[in-house]
Amino acid sequence: MYCTGATSITCESSSNDKTIETTVKTGTRKLENILIRRIPKTAWNKPGHYWIEIVHKDENEMDDFIVEAKQQGLKEEGLIKFNKTPTKINGFRESYGWYPISNNGFHNFSIRGAVTFNSRFIKNDGCLNGDHIDRREKDKNLELDYKIERTAGRSKLNNELSTIAFDCMQYRRFDLDNPIYLTTNPYLLPRDLRTEKQVIVDIRNFVAKFERDEPEWSWNGDGFDETNCHTLLFLLLASCDLADPDGIGQGYDQHFIDYKQSLDSKSEPDEKYENRKNLIDKLLKISQSLNSIY
């Protein structure tokens, strides 16, 4: 089913995850083609992931040289001989999430990258979409298939695999044995006149700035001082004025609840965490404010 509102965009009805939809205020607009994806951390310390996806109607169009490479059975590293730049999305889904640079051990760590362990606080250098040389090295012998698990995504548009940036978890929409826990859509507030296309530009600008300004990935049990995929998603929504009435507004996101409580309990936070606290307060307010009818 195609939806109006932006060029090269189409709606998706997810078939392998939990979806929630509430009644929202008149004048509020649901962004049908932008998906908030959640796989929460489990009680057994199995890492989860949060990311945001943008659905394009032409995402399954393939470049001829990619098709040829697939027919030849080439792996990722074999693409270099074509010396061509993709002009198609080639099946990948535009998406954005935040990762540690390495992919071994607890939540994907190795010794490289000055990993720090202190009680439950874990810290490493961060990267957008898992796009780091160490992670790419692990993917060099993978098939040219957007439906399989990858260690590295791509953080930039017009990369060697696709015209769009993509999170390495974007394949999970095809994994029926391990469904995405929760998918919701962001909403625009009443009187927000942006088009979906304009919102997508705002999302791209935010993640590019986050990538430039934020050096670390860290986990501290949803503590105020961590920076990870949850942090990126929450700050993205707030900074782009996007409400999440079906998830955060309904209290379904325990990571958000715990993170906000930790920020609220921090006395005299420095400028960085004061700014984050204000953004998280804003996100909760706008998300809860949409769950009623005028």
Side-chain angles (χ1 to χ4, degrees):
M1 177 180 67
Y2 292 124
C3 292
T4 59
T7 304
S8 297
I9 300 292
T10 181
C11 290
E12 176 186 84
S13 176
S14 183
S15 60
N16 71 327
D17 60 357
K18 176 182 176 183
T19 57
I20 295 172
E21 185 170 350
T22 57
T23 303
V24 297
K25 287 182 178 180
T26 301
T28 300
R29 284 189 291 143
K30 179 180 179 181
L31 298 173
E32 299 279 359
N33 308 296
I34 301 176
L35 309 175
I36 302 168
R37 302 287 208 180
R38 292 175 173 90
I39 303 172
K41 174 179 172 291
T42 71
W44 301 276
N45 282 335
K46 184 177 180 180
H49 188 54
Y50 281 22
W51 70 102
I52 195 163
E53 290 185 357
I54 299 165
V55 185
H56 296 273
K57 74 176 183 181
D58 54 349
E59 64 187 24
N60 290 320
E61 295 181 4
M62 307 289 288
D63 281 296
D64 291 341
F65 79 93
I66 294 287
V67 174
E68 182 181 349
K70 288 168 67 72
Q71 290 173 344
Q72 293 181 18
L74 297 182
K75 313 297 186 185
E76 274 195 26
E77 64 178 351
L79 272 181
I80 192 170
K81 79 171 191 177
F82 285 92
N83 194 29
K84 292 184 178 181
T85 300
T87 61
K88 308 290 185 183
I89 295 179
N90 294 319
F92 294 96
R93 168 76 47 88
E94 182 171 6
S95 42
Y96 300 99
W98 194 245
Y99 290 82
I101 63 171
S102 300
N103 189 47
N104 297 296
F106 183 86
H107 206 299
N108 308 330
F109 287 102
S110 70
I111 298 301
R112 177 171 176 166
V115 181
T116 300
F117 294 85
N118 180 11
S119 183
R120 65 178 180 178
F121 186 74
I122 307 168
K123 180 179 178 181
N124 200 345
D125 294 337
C127 59
L128 185 64
N129 288 346
D131 191 0
H132 184 267
I133 186 172
D134 285 0
R135 288 173 167 270
R136 286 195 183 204
E137 178 68 16
K138 295 178 183 297
D139 287 350
K140 67 180 183 179
N141 291 318
L142 286 183
E143 302 288 341
L144 298 174
D145 187 350
Y146 57 88
K147 296 182 180 181
I148 62 176
E149 182 176 0
R150 319 180 75 80
T151 303
R154 297 296 183 267
S155 61
K156 300 294 188 293
L157 301 174
N158 301 310
N159 55 76
E160 72 276 19
L161 295 177
S162 176
T163 56
I164 54 88
F166 58 89
D167 185 288
C168 50
M169 278 283 194
Q170 58 86 40
Y171 81 96
R172 283 294 294 267
R173 68 190 188 276
F174 302 108
D175 190 349
L176 301 182
D177 294 327
N178 298 286
I180 298 168
Y181 175 77
L182 176 65
T183 294
T184 60
N185 298 86
Y187 288 71
L188 291 179
L189 303 176
R191 296 181 294 279
D192 188 334
L193 301 180
R194 285 178 295 169
T195 65
E196 202 162 54
K197 190 173 183 179
Q198 289 172 324
V199 172
I200 291 169
V201 172
D202 290 342
I203 290 172
R204 290 172 175 171
N205 289 339
F206 174 85
V207 295
K209 184 177 186 302
F210 194 90
E211 184 180 31
R212 289 194 306 268
D213 297 347
E214 183 52 61
E216 75 174 44
W217 182 100
S218 55
W219 165 257
N220 194 15
D222 293 318
F224 76 92
D225 52 350
E226 68 181 23
T227 300
N228 49 50
C229 56
H230 310 143
T231 318
L232 172 67
L233 177 63
F234 300 152
L235 297 180
L236 183 157
L237 293 173
S239 298
C240 295
D241 294 313
L242 301 176
D244 179 28
D246 301 332
I248 290 171
Q250 292 290 324
Y252 290 127
D253 192 329
Q254 191 62 46
H255 284 301
F256 178 85
I257 293 170
D258 293 344
Y259 180 57
K260 185 179 186 308
Q261 288 177 345
S262 182
L263 282 169
D264 290 343
S265 67
K266 174 65 175 174
S267 60
E268 299 181 358
D270 62 24
E271 182 179 358
K272 175 180 178 178
Y273 297 115
E274 181 65 26
N275 181 56
R276 289 189 176 185
K277 179 181 182 301
N278 291 336
L279 287 170
I280 294 304
D281 287 344
K282 170 187 173 181
L283 179 55
L284 179 62
K285 181 179 179 180
I286 63 176
S287 297
Q288 289 181 331
S289 71
L290 299 189
N291 288 329
S292 61
I293 303 175
Y294 275 176

